Amino acid sequence: MILEIRNLIKRYGDTLAVDNVNLQIKEGEIYGLLGPNGAGKTTTINAITGITKIDGGEIFVFGKNFSTHEYEVKKEIGIVPQDIAVFEDLTAWENVTFFGKLYGLRDGLLKERVEEALNFTGLWDRRKDFPKKYSGGMKRRLNIACAIVHHPGLIIMDEPTVGIDPQSRKHILQSVKELNRMGSTVIYTSHYMEEVEEVCTQITIMDHGRIIASGTSDDLKSLISFEEKVDIDLANVNFTVLDNIKKLSGVKDAIIDGNKVTVLSHKNSKNLSSIIDAVSAAECEIISLNIDKPTLEGVFLTLTGRKLRD
């Protein structure tokens, strides 16, 4: 287990920011940590990295208790903070070199790792430039280069794509998957559900300082999915099509509205091909067909009562 959190508690005055959180993250995962503002996810991340002192519970990283092995543990963690954390008066090369030295890299190995990190993030050709000449996306990539120069086993990425262009976002998401392929476990937070669905193997949703759901994207969607809905636009409609569909296995109901037929089936009915055959048998022509599936955004809204960006 790369990370294990046991009964984590953090208070700010009378506010219980993290309320007895328990979390386990296995080696090799890209773990999504989601929650609306004030949910406790940032406090949890800050506790993992030692920025925030906890009021109760235990944190184990790489099997070591953080409270008694803090220095050893921190050497194996890379942090990509939400706010860009680079030195404007140092070049990209100097920035990555500085962070490499903080993690104990020296001489030839330091030079090798700096070059590797800048190449990985696509900044090698701009290594002599100062960050003020960089776009927002390039600064984000420089943040990542500084965080991975020491080959950390655990990388924490807190909103790494905020305020950047689509091309840079794509580059960062590809980098996350590649870092994971190369052996790093990643904790990933984002306000963009499509990012989480694309890269994360496991997801935890927090709200009001507590974990309210965990699992794969499909696991979480199944929490709010009790039926399947198919909308079919037809060139011509007759009531034979309705009768044909209602006889099918798994179908709960079928409704005609103008030239549109809506079919409600029990979850996991796997009857789409039968529905299409029933429409054809009634001599109706399909113009378009839409399968209404549950989304991670819908899960989040259902469980928290808020949108992720609220």
Side-chain angles (χ1 to χ4, degrees):
M1 201 70 62
I2 283 285
L3 173 68
E4 184 175 4
I5 296 175
R6 301 176 185 172
N7 302 313
L8 182 64
I9 296 173
K10 178 60 186 177
R11 295 184 179 88
Y12 292 103
D14 295 332
T15 302
L16 190 57
V18 179
D19 184 4
N20 282 286
V21 162
N22 290 276
L23 186 67
Q24 292 184 333
I25 298 178
K26 297 177 182 178
E27 183 176 0
E29 288 184 330
I30 303 178
Y31 203 101
L33 191 58
L34 301 180
N37 291 332
K41 65 183 187 301
T42 298
T43 302
T44 300
I45 286 174
N46 288 344
I48 296 168
T49 57
I51 295 172
T52 296
K53 299 301 178 183
I54 63 177
D55 296 314
E58 295 178 298
I59 300 173
F60 294 85
V61 187
F62 309 109
K64 299 175 182 177
N65 193 315
F66 191 90
S67 63
T68 55
H69 297 81
E70 184 172 349
Y71 179 73
E72 297 171 52
V73 169
K74 283 184 174 180
K75 287 178 67 176
E76 298 298 324
I77 298 177
I79 305 169
V80 182
Q82 182 175 343
D83 296 323
I84 293 172
V86 296
F87 297 99
E88 295 287 342
D89 55 348
L90 298 179
T91 65
W93 173 273
E94 291 168 339
N95 264 286
V96 182
T97 299
F98 174 81
F99 283 96
K101 287 181 177 179
L102 285 183
Y103 284 107
L105 300 177
R106 295 290 185 271
D107 305 323
L109 181 59
L110 173 63
K111 184 178 180 181
E112 176 187 320
R113 293 286 182 81
V114 171
E115 182 175 346
E116 180 185 71
L118 288 169
N119 271 313
F120 181 82
T121 52
L123 296 173
W124 176 253
D125 291 341
R126 300 288 300 275
R127 64 189 181 279
K128 296 180 180 179
D129 288 348
F130 292 93
K132 64 183 178 182
K133 293 185 178 180
Y134 281 2
S135 66
M138 292 174 70
K139 287 183 179 181
R140 291 279 174 194
R141 284 188 272 150
L142 180 56
N143 241 11
I144 293 173
C146 293
I148 66 172
V149 65
H150 59 299
H151 286 190
L154 175 63
I155 303 172
I156 299 173
M157 294 187 163
D158 191 6
E159 303 282 356
T161 63
V162 169
I164 63 173
D165 60 275
Q167 184 177 357
S168 292
R169 174 173 285 112
K170 182 179 179 181
H171 188 285
I172 288 175
L173 294 179
Q174 288 174 339
S175 297
V176 172
K177 289 185 277 190
E178 181 62 15
L179 287 167
N180 180 249
R181 190 194 66 77
M182 292 165 61
S184 292
T185 301
V186 181
I187 299 176
Y188 192 91
T189 78
S190 176
H191 276 82
Y192 302 101
M193 285 294 189
E194 64 274 14
E195 291 184 3
V196 174
E197 289 209 69
E198 180 178 343
V199 303
C200 294
T201 54
Q202 291 285 322
I203 301 165
T204 282
I205 297 176
M206 293 185 68
D207 197 23
H208 300 297
R210 296 181 177 181
I211 290 175
I212 58 174
S214 291
T216 65
S217 178
D218 287 341
D219 290 338
L220 295 177
K221 289 174 186 176
S222 70
L223 294 176
I224 64 166
S225 176
F226 305 106
E227 62 183 20
E228 297 172 349
K229 178 182 174 186
V230 178
D231 292 318
I232 310 170
D233 288 318
L234 302 172
N236 58 300
V237 175
N238 57 54
F239 284 95
T240 301
V241 70
L242 210 59
D243 292 337
N244 288 354
I245 292 173
K246 285 184 176 181
K247 294 175 184 176
L248 297 176
S249 173
V251 171
K252 293 172 63 177
D253 199 4
I255 304 161
I256 288 180
D257 181 10
N259 277 16
K260 180 178 180 179
V261 175
T262 297
V263 184
L264 298 176
S265 298
H266 293 286
K267 183 179 173 181
N268 297 323
S269 294
K270 298 181 180 179
N271 58 3
L272 180 59
S273 61
S274 297
I275 292 172
I276 294 173
D277 289 343
V279 173
S280 298
E283 298 183 347
C284 295
E285 180 186 350
I286 297 175
I287 297 174
S288 66
L289 184 148
N290 179 64
I291 303 170
D292 188 7
K293 293 185 177 180
T295 65
L296 198 53
E297 186 82 47
V299 174
F300 192 89
L301 183 60
T302 301
L303 295 179
T304 69
R306 292 183 279 175
K307 292 183 179 180
L308 187 56
R309 294 179 179 84
D310 286 351

